[in-house]
Amino acid sequence: MLKAKPDGIYALNKDGEERKISGPIEVKAIVSSHDKRDDFGRLLEWKNYFGLPIREVLPMGEVDDNFAKKFKKRLLRSGFQLSPGKYSWESLLAYLIETPCNKHAYSARQSGWVDGQFVTPDWSIGQYDTPAVYVGDFAGDSLVESGSLLDWQQNIGKYCRGNPIMILAVCTALAAPIIGWTDLESFGIQIVGSSKSGKSTVMKVAASIYSDQTYWETWSSTSNGIESIARARNNMLLCLDEFKQCPAQEIGQLIYHLCNGVSKLRSQQDGALDKRYRWRTIFLSTGELTLEELLLGINQSVSAGQSVRLIEVPVFSKYDAFENTHGFTSAKEFAEYLSSCVGKYHGTFIKSWVEALSNFDCPNNEVIKEYKDIREQWPWPKNIESQANNVLDKFALLAAAGEIAINLGLLPWHLGEAKDALEQVATIWLDDRNSTENSESKKIIKKLIKLINKWRHSLSPRGESHNGSIGFFESEPELAWYIPQQLFKSEVIESVAHEYSQTVHYMLQKGWAISNEGTRRTFKIGGERFIKFFPEKICRECGESVDLSHFHQNDNSLNSNANPTFPVSQSENY
């Protein structure tokens, strides 16, 4: 029989004598999943050698595993007092399992929002009827606090003003807990710049919202490691430093894995499928190389999906990452000051932020309205290409997080500063991208301009056939080229067959080509099929300068014969 006393747990022998077997420990709640069908355990609280209180869940699933050997080790590592010997631990374990408790808590296997409260491996905050406790396998360092929120505001937050890259980083940190209330997928912001450009300082400022510098991770982590960290950072900022350390062969899949937000399918030892986990996060990355430069080393190119999931922003301010050094004599001195301050003041903002969010009546409605209002106020129309629009929506979400935090009095900035800074960042991103077109569309345009240059001296007037001609043209009312379908197809396909269909569809959609065969998308003359398109219109609308003036020199001599002749080699038999 065991008996609890203020200084520990005592065993009573047959004669009623007491022997202390452990330090103080008690059962605070019965823990289970939200549906009360899984994840049962006991929330225990104990004190270590120095009297520090520690809480952790004893999972019932571990009890049969050699008398909860893993949990016993965690207890001892924390400084819990336990008498040596098999009897002490087995008696204490039975006592903890059998002790009655009428309090209930939900289990949370990853960080983030659970039933109106925000759960982390270290603390939970929010409005709730039933508390939630973290029971996951934590893959990162604990969240550390130092100083007060006011200290952070006065020594770090106010120095972000006038610095778009710093505002971008802070807003990225604040947007992570609200992304789950939107229809946006997880994504990352990559700040790209040369060594000593202030990127790491910006990362430190963003991380200080949550913890100290131990909050960082690196891209050198394995795929499995990244997944474990992402689970622990669900609804929280994930900081990934040293982009160039990631193996180029793995980076593409890592980006998709992080942003798709679901763990890999794995089998247990008995062959059954392991439980899959899901997360929503925003990650902040820094690097000297762009994704394109990293992939260039293995002869790969950036896919459209990667470019909208990892949004790369070059440092563009007066002093690289800094525009306003707030009276410091140099950017170096400013960066050193910020680095010093984040070492003193960190980890307090996130608690105030999620507590304020938990008090919203309909947080998802307020967040969605704010970010959509900002997107509407920005100068870019909503009908631009989908990939650019998707990224602009993400920038608007970051701006919304900043504006909400300003309105709550948490960020020491003026209303509108976050929105204006993110608009500036979005402008730089679009300029760096050189288009609001989708990346696939940009490739098609580049290919068409190349072919226009290639073919501009290889066409005959309609009704004529010259040696070396590959097709014919008409110059009225708009310069039109007729290229045999098979030749056009062979030229636009560089690697995969669907490039032809994709290119013709895009040309028809833009009004750069015309068809008289409906779904065939070709232009038929007699028994021949062509791709009929307007090269001058393409060049004009894409801002490209290609000399096509020679097509208008002999307009009067053009023949409108509806059945021109062509070399047999250019015909297609049907």
Side-chain angles (χ1 to χ4, degrees), residues 84 130 303 482 501 547:
T130 302
S303 71
Y482 296 76
S501 177
D547 184 10

Side-chain angles (χ1 to χ4, degrees), residues 152-153 156-172 174 205 209 326 349 398-399 401-403 405-419 421-422:
W152 188 94
Q153 292 169 330
I156 300 170
K158 75 176 185 179
Y159 290 101
C160 296
R161 298 184 64 190
N163 287 295
I165 294 291
M166 290 178 67
I167 290 175
L168 164 69
V170 168
C171 290
T172 301
L174 298 182
V205 169
I209 297 285
H326 293 272
F349 197 114
L398 305 187
E403 292 299 323
I406 296 168
N407 197 41
L408 290 169
L410 297 177
L411 282 176
W413 310 340
H414 294 310
L415 281 171
E417 283 190 275
K419 176 173 72 72
L422 267 297

Side-chain angles (χ1 to χ4, degrees), residues 2-144:
L2 300 186
K3 180 180 179 181
K5 287 189 172 184
D7 66 332
I9 306 298
Y10 287 78
L12 301 177
N13 62 20
K14 291 184 292 185
D15 300 324
E17 295 176 338
E18 296 180 349
R19 180 175 68 87
K20 185 177 179 180
I21 64 170
S22 80
I25 186 169
E26 61 179 318
V27 180
K28 305 298 288 187
I30 304 298
V31 178
S32 76
S33 60
H34 199 276
D35 62 3
K36 300 180 181 178
R37 293 175 181 271
D38 195 10
D39 275 348
F40 273 86
R42 298 214 151 197
L43 177 61
L44 307 180
E45 182 175 280
W46 64 90
K47 292 183 179 180
N48 66 9
Y49 286 105
F50 299 105
L52 297 175
I54 300 171
R55 280 193 175 198
E56 195 168 329
V57 173
L58 166 63
M60 291 296 98
E62 288 187 13
V63 171
D64 270 348
D65 186 12
N66 200 9
F67 292 99
K69 183 178 179 181
K70 285 170 61 178
F71 189 80
K72 177 185 176 183
K73 286 185 176 180
R74 293 200 295 276
L75 272 174
L76 294 174
R77 281 200 304 268
S78 74
F80 180 69
Q81 293 174 285
L82 179 66
S83 296
K86 182 178 178 181
Y87 170 79
S88 296
W89 171 241
E90 292 182 3
S91 299
L92 179 62
L93 182 63
Y95 168 78
L96 295 173
I97 293 171
E98 295 167 4
T99 297
C101 183
N102 56 12
K103 292 184 178 179
H104 178 232
Y106 292 136
S107 60
R109 288 203 163 270
Q110 55 195 43
S111 64
W113 294 104
V114 177
D115 202 35
Q117 56 200 301
F118 197 87
V119 181
T120 77
D122 301 283
W123 44 260
S124 300
I125 286 179
Q127 307 296 320
Y128 56 83
D129 294 322
T130 302
V133 292
Y134 188 90
V135 299
D137 298 323
F138 185 49
D141 289 293
S142 297
L143 301 180
V144 180

